[in-house]
């Protein structure tokens, strides 16, 4: 039985007792333990595939490296162009006026004494931008827009609220709610859905104190989404109607 087990591939760790008449050559072939491996073919096939898969992954990695190198060169070139123009790379890509240029232009408009310059809302790479009377475009989050009660701000904490995860188109109206008793920030301003039934997040602290001051002073402010709902442009309903044309 031991000989048959070895001949047919069954595992056996016992020595095979061979009859003296058994051919010695056959005995030497089957004297070691023979193991049946049902996955031998599969292993062999994957052993052949492994080098090919490794080569494929290596080609992909080389492709990603080249792509990163191209992107790095493009970014370095953009950074040089932006520095020469007094802009950030984001301002350059979106076609926005640089920080110093924006400051000079808005201060000049303020000294003209015009109550509300002929600003216009324009679409750009950042979602929405404010166009100056001369056609130049500026970032709506610029602090020098505050004298006209125009505030651009990020919406923070959206991950904590169900309504905060919804994607919103640019220009969608939202409402604001003061939370003076907020334990984290007495200047907290919550961003709500238009109906005010659900919270989306909060106006970022950098702008919240100015928005809170305006709201506490009795100013009626509304918010409109920018950057697919990641930011808001806050102003009065009258100003929004005047510039959104």
């Amino acid at each position: 039985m031991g000989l048959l087990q070895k001949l047919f591939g069954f595992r056996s760790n016992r020595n095979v007792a061979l009859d003296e008449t058994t051919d010695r050559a056959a005995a030497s072939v089957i004297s070691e333990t023979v193991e049946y491996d049902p996955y031998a073919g599969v292993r062999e096939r994957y052993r052949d595939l492994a080098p090919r898969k490794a080569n494929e992954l290596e080609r992909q990695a080389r492709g990603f490296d080249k792509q990163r190198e191209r992107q790095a060169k493009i970014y370095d070139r953009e950074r040089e162009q932006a520095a020469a123009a007094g802009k950030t790379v984001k301002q350059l890509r979106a076609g926005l006026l640089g920080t110093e240029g924006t400051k000079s232009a808005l201060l000049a408009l303020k000294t003209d004494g015009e109550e509300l310059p002929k600003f216009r809302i324009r679409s750009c790479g950042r979602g929405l931008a404010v166009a100056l009377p001369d056609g130049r475009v500026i970032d709506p989050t610029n602090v020098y827009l505050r004298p006209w009660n125009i505030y651009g701000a990020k919406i923070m904490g959206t991950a904590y609220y169900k309504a905060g995860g919804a994607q919103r188109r640019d220009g969608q109206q939202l409402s604001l709610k003061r939370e003076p008793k907020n334990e984290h920030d007495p200047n907290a301003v919550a961003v709500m859905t238009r109906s005010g039934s659900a919270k989306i997040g909060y106006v970022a602290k950098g702008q919240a104190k100015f928005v809170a001051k305006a709201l506490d002073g009795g100013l009626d402010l509304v918010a409109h989404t920018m950057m697919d709902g990641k930011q808001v442009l806050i102003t009065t309903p009258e100003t929004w109607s005047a510039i959104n044309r």
Side-chain angles (χ1 to χ4, degrees), residues 76-134:
D76 289 341
R77 190 160 55 247
E78 287 179 330
R79 188 167 53 184
E80 291 175 2
Q81 294 172 353
K87 301 180 179 182
T88 64
V89 174
K90 287 183 178 180
Q91 289 170 340
L92 179 72
R93 289 176 177 176
L96 300 173
L97 197 61
T99 304
E100 288 301 317
T102 299
K103 177 181 176 181
S104 301
L106 291 176
L107 288 177
L109 288 173
K110 186 180 178 182
T111 56
D112 287 343
E114 190 174 355
E115 185 176 348
L116 179 64
K118 294 179 181 178
F119 295 137
R120 294 290 181 267
I121 292 295
R122 295 286 181 268
S123 296
C124 72
R126 289 179 59 83
L128 293 179
V130 176
L132 299 176
D134 60 7

Side-chain angles (χ1 to χ4, degrees), residues 82-243:
K87 301 180 179 182
T88 64
V89 174
K90 287 183 178 180
Q91 289 170 340
L92 179 72
R93 289 176 177 176
L96 300 173
L97 197 61
T99 304
E100 288 301 317
T102 299
K103 177 181 176 181
S104 301
L106 291 176
L107 288 177
L109 288 173
K110 186 180 178 182
T111 56
D112 287 343
E114 190 174 355
E115 185 176 348
L116 179 64
K118 294 179 181 178
F119 295 137
R120 294 290 181 267
I121 292 295
R122 295 286 181 268
S123 296
C124 72
R126 289 179 59 83
L128 293 179
V130 176
L132 299 176
D134 60 7
R136 292 180 295 174
V137 183
I138 63 174
D139 189 338
T141 62
N142 193 283
V143 297
Y144 290 98
L145 284 168
R146 290 174 188 163
W148 295 283
N149 291 311
I150 299 175
Y151 311 90
K154 290 182 179 180
I155 306 177
M156 309 302 290
T158 54
Y160 297 100
Y161 304 99
K162 186 176 181 181
Q167 188 172 7
R168 293 174 171 84
R169 65 183 184 278
D170 291 341
Q172 186 173 343
Q173 185 173 326
L174 303 173
S175 61
L176 302 171
K177 181 182 178 182
R178 272 288 280 126
E179 292 185 0
K181 295 183 180 181
N182 188 295
E183 60 180 337
H184 301 291
D185 182 12
N187 293 314
V189 179
V191 181
M192 313 289 290
T193 55
R194 182 170 184 173
S195 63
S197 60
K199 187 179 293 185
I200 296 171
Y202 285 88
V203 175
K205 272 191 175 183
Q207 290 280 45
K209 58 182 178 180
F210 300 101
V211 177
K213 183 178 179 180
L215 289 171
D216 292 344
L219 197 63
D220 182 22
L221 295 176
V222 293
H224 291 83
T225 52
M226 305 187 295
M227 294 286 289
D228 296 327
K230 299 182 182 69
Q231 295 182 2
V232 283
L233 179 65
I234 301 168
T235 188
T236 64
E238 295 77 20
T239 299
W240 176 258
S241 298
I243 65 179

Side-chain angles (χ1 to χ4, degrees), residues 19-59:
D19 188 86
E20 294 180 356
T21 59
T22 304
D23 183 77
R24 293 184 179 276
S28 64
V29 172
I30 62 172
S31 61
E32 295 183 357
T33 301
V34 178
E35 295 185 3
Y36 170 67
D37 184 3
Y39 299 105
V42 176
R43 288 199 181 91
E44 190 67 28
R45 186 160 61 250
Y46 276 94
R47 194 176 298 119
D48 295 338
L49 288 175
R52 282 182 287 177
K53 188 63 177 178
N55 291 335
E56 181 183 345
L57 293 174
E58 187 177 352
R59 284 195 300 271

